[in-house]
Amino acid sequence: MVKSMKKNKQFERAVHGLFLILGLVTVASVLVITVYLVISGIPAILEIGLWDFLFGDTWDPASSDPKFGILPFILSSIYGTAGALVLGVPIGFLTAVFLSKKASPKVKEIMSGAVSLLAGIPSVVYGLVGMMVLVPGIRDLFGLPDGASLMAAIVVLAIMILPSIIKVSITALDAVPKEYEDASLALGATPTETWFRVSVPAAKSGIATAVVLGVGRAIGEAMAVMMVSGNVANMPSLFQSVRFLTTAVSSGMGYADGLYREALFSIALVLFLFIMMINAVLNFFLKGEKHE
Amino acid sequence: MSIITAKDLCLWYGATQALKNINIEIPERSITALIGPSGCGKSTFLKTLNRMNDLIPSVRIEGTVTYGGQDIFAPSVDVNDLRKEIGMVFQKPNPFPMSIYDNIAYGPRTHGIKNKIQLDDIVEEALQGAAIWDEVKDRLKKSALGLSGGQQQRLCIARAMAVKPKVLLMDEPTSALDPISTSKIEDLTQQLKKDYTIIMVTHNMQQAVRISDNTAFFLLGELVEFGDTEQMFSQPQDKRTEDYITGRFG
């Protein structure tokens, strides 16, 4: 009896130790990535100068007088993400309200399944379909010489962020106590008034979380964006080819060397800082939810 | 004068009959208590009166209920207007997660009142009416969820009153409250019956005796007995009523 208890204790201790080590692997990965990005990203910034790097509007690393201004990438990423939100948030949010509050169980099941499927499609497939369908479509619709543009990237990103916005919003809306809605209906409010004036406000931190997750997904996406945006380092304009922060890194990495290569690390560092900021915002919302 | 009349009212949840041929005339500006053991249909009957049962998909209703002479199931009746006339207070206090002010103003705003001064008046009047004004007047902008359970329930009564209904349905409004809060709400109902018709489901027979003018006893979906509260509790007409109120079952 005593012996087996001792054995049990040892076993428990070993299991705890194992879990701790596995947990530390994750933490170590984050630390290694952060440290590596900072160490490899700083030199180029120092050489180019922080101001010229962040706010220079010309990216021409291969010429005899190289320019390393990444403002076009920063703005493309910001505009692209913002555009995706403008299109994706209303669609995703209203879909979530419909599925959570109005749809019959059968419709909800089918549509939720479709949304999950959308989340599982690899980004290269989004890029491929975007390239074959969306890019020519935009070219013909707006009479452009080339449809590969910021606009195309925005549409693709808007679709790509729909699943996270819809799913997280539905979870938040489903969690609104039925008592709130009953109280509103009993006061003579219509179902629509009830959803938008009681259910949605009660789920607002969850919905905000959904939007922030969408931002994270959009700003970090590289492959699909590269395939539909034309990948030219222009200052962003809706119907011109643009290059995002992500695609700047991935498209240059294969052949760049010297300062050019180092500058790509610096771009990655900037992207990383953006993602960190988004995470901070996300944590803020999640904390807010806990306090309520 | 009766304000609500049910005639041969039957209600089914799917295949289960929850109300059987209910005939009742509920007098105006009085308190009617609905008593009976759990599952007897008293809450179902209450929720039929403001058509909250409409929200349950499998419900089927036969017979009529009239409110002020108007059939409440008629296609021409706007259910939202009906619920404005017949307010409801739930078993569990359910203030919205908003400020005290916004909770009370929710109903009037829904019905189109935007004027700030008018809203201020309605909010104060409703909170006064529900005897909670003095406790909350300095914290109207604070969250209603910070109030105690008893305060929350009076807030919910105030919220229901703010849309100026004629009838207040109360579904065991004190069952989640402590004795002091309960007695405050009971006192409040005595004030309210001067202006409102109150129909209250209660599990507490002493409460029915203390506050109600008339009592309806439900059993297995039937209305067994309906009449003057004092008389019913002293000389019940039906054997089943007697068994219930003397505590032989339920």
Side-chain angles (χ1 to χ4, degrees):
Chain A
M1 182 73 176
V2 174
K3 209 176 171 186
S4 78
M5 264 176 70
K6 204 173 170 189
K7 225 177 175 178
N8 266 342
K9 226 176 193 172
Q10 277 173 345
F11 177 72
E12 285 294 316
R13 218 175 270 163
V15 169
H16 284 194
L18 182 67
F19 288 175
L20 182 63
I21 290 167
L22 294 177
L24 286 176
V25 169
T26 312
V27 177
S29 311
V30 172
L31 279 178
V32 168
I33 290 171
T34 312
V35 171
Y36 181 78
L37 267 183
V38 170
I39 290 176
S40 53
I42 296 267
I45 294 178
L46 290 178
E47 199 171 331
I48 299 159
L50 183 63
W51 184 268
D52 287 341
F53 180 65
L54 289 180
F55 299 107
D57 60 6
T58 311
W59 174 261
D60 188 9
S63 75
S64 55
D65 177 23
K67 294 263 194 307
F68 294 97
I70 65 163
L71 191 61
F73 308 151
I74 294 178
L75 290 182
S76 293
S77 276
I78 292 175
Y79 291 176
T81 303
L85 292 180
V86 167
L87 280 184
V89 168
I91 297 173
F93 166 69
L94 293 174
T95 305
V97 172
F98 170 73
L99 287 180
S100 171
K101 300 300 170 195
K102 179 72 192 155
S104 68
K106 181 113 196 169
V107 171
K108 183 173 179 178
E109 196 189 316
I110 293 171
M111 284 184 69
S112 300
V115 172
S116 299
L117 211 58
L118 197 61
I121 294 174
S123 59
V124 66
V125 175
Y126 280 100
L128 198 65
V129 176
M131 213 160 94
M132 305 312 289
V133 178
L134 192 62
V135 169
I138 287 177
R139 185 191 58 209
D140 297 344
L141 188 64
F142 296 100
L144 307 170
D146 181 11
S149 59
L150 180 59
M151 185 67 197
I154 285 175
V155 174
V156 169
L157 286 176
I159 295 169
M160 290 181 82
I161 64 175
L162 281 180
S164 49
I165 291 179
I166 293 173
K167 296 208 132 208
V168 178
S169 299
I170 285 182
T171 309
L173 286 166
D174 280 351
V176 173
K178 202 176 154 301
E179 287 86 5
Y180 293 165
E181 288 161 11
D182 283 350
S184 169
L185 293 169
L187 286 167
T190 64
T192 309
E193 284 168 340
T194 299
W195 302 329
F196 287 99
R197 293 186 54 210
V198 173
S199 314
V200 169
K204 63 178 185 289
S205 66
I207 292 167
T209 304
V211 173
V212 177
L213 282 173
V215 173
R217 172 107 211 240
I219 207 164
E221 176 53 41
M223 180 54 77
V225 166
M226 175 131 82
M227 293 169 80
V228 301
S229 69
N231 206 22
V232 181
N234 288 323
M235 282 300 262
S237 150
L238 204 52
F239 294 112
Q240 268 199 332
S241 292
V242 293
R243 193 183 288 180
F244 285 52
L245 284 167
T246 47
T247 51
V249 178
S250 57
S251 59
M253 218 51 187
Y255 52 85
D257 58 3
L259 184 59
Y260 183 8
R261 191 178 170 83
E262 282 175 18
L264 295 181
F265 283 107
S266 307
I267 295 175
L269 179 61
V270 171
L271 182 62
F272 183 73
L273 291 176
F274 269 106
I275 302 279
M276 292 297 266
M277 272 175 353
I278 291 163
N279 264 313
V281 173
L282 187 62
N283 278 331
F284 173 77
F285 281 125
L286 290 176
K287 258 199 197 128
E289 191 159 30
K290 248 181 228 155
H291 280 293
E292 264 174 26
Chain B
M1 243 262 318
S2 70
I3 185 163
I4 289 177
T5 306
K7 221 174 247 162
D8 300 325
L9 178 68
C10 297
L11 182 144
W12 288 264
Y13 293 122
T16 322
Q17 188 167 10
L19 293 177
K20 296 171 188 162
N21 290 312
I22 307 294
N23 286 289
I24 192 169
E25 290 191 7
I26 292 171
E28 210 174 0
R29 288 173 214 263
S30 66
I31 300 181
T32 302
L34 310 180
I35 63 168
S38 298
C40 67
K42 57 193 190 301
S43 280
T44 297
F45 176 68
L46 191 77
K47 285 180 189 147
T48 306
L49 300 181
N50 67 342
R51 292 185 51 186
M52 287 298 276
N53 279 334
D54 289 17
L55 304 171
I56 303 164
S58 63
V59 158
R60 190 160 60 83
I61 295 169
E62 278 175 16
T64 57
V65 176
T66 57
Y67 163 72
Q70 164 75 47
D71 178 8
I72 66 167
F73 299 118
S76 61
V77 170
D78 180 346
V79 68
N80 302 309
D81 288 343
L82 177 75
R83 289 176 187 155
K84 190 174 168 237
E85 292 278 309
I86 304 180
M88 186 161 207
V89 176
F90 295 81
Q91 182 171 1
K92 207 176 122 212
N94 58 353
F96 299 128
M98 322 169 172
S99 72
I100 292 167
Y101 184 96
D102 288 338
N103 261 279
I104 307 298
Y106 181 87
R109 280 178 179 147
T110 297
H111 299 294
I113 297 173
K114 300 242 154 52
N115 184 309
K116 176 89 173 68
I117 297 162
Q118 207 180 344
L119 280 174
D120 286 351
D121 286 347
I122 292 172
V123 169
E124 179 171 349
E125 195 188 330
L127 289 168
Q128 294 268 20
I132 191 179
W133 171 252
D134 290 334
E135 292 161 62
V136 301
K137 65 179 179 214
D138 299 323
R139 50 197 285 206
L140 292 176
K141 297 288 168 202
K142 296 259 168 64
S143 169
L145 302 182
L147 298 173
S148 74
Q151 289 174 324
Q152 286 188 9
Q153 194 63 304
R154 276 178 287 147
L155 180 80
C156 292
I157 294 173
R159 182 177 62 187
M161 286 162 56
V163 297
K164 308 209 159 46
K166 301 254 175 6
V167 180
L168 280 175
L169 308 177
M170 298 189 174
D171 190 0
E172 297 186 54
T174 63
S175 67
L177 303 181
D178 63 84
I180 293 170
S181 303
T182 299
S183 89
K184 278 191 182 155
I185 291 198
E186 289 184 3
D187 292 346
L188 175 60
T189 56
Q190 299 307 308
Q191 293 297 314
L192 293 180
K193 78 170 186 180
K194 291 172 194 149
D195 301 305
Y196 299 87
T197 305
I198 295 177
I199 306 171
M200 184 193 283
V201 168
T202 178
H203 258 119
N204 180 333
M205 278 180 281
Q206 281 78 40
Q207 184 171 62
V209 173
R210 277 195 302 267
I211 67 168
S212 73
D213 302 297
N214 293 291
T215 298
F217 171 56
F218 284 78
L219 185 64
L220 301 170
E222 277 178 68
L223 175 60
V224 174
E225 191 168 342
F226 174 59
D228 182 77
T229 298
E230 226 168 278
Q231 190 169 357
M232 184 183 295
F233 279 89
S234 55
Q235 293 167 311
Q237 304 294 307
D238 194 291
K239 179 78 171 59
R240 291 169 293 176
T241 314
E242 188 182 344
D243 287 349
Y244 183 70
I245 61 180
T246 54
R248 235 162 271 168
F249 71 93

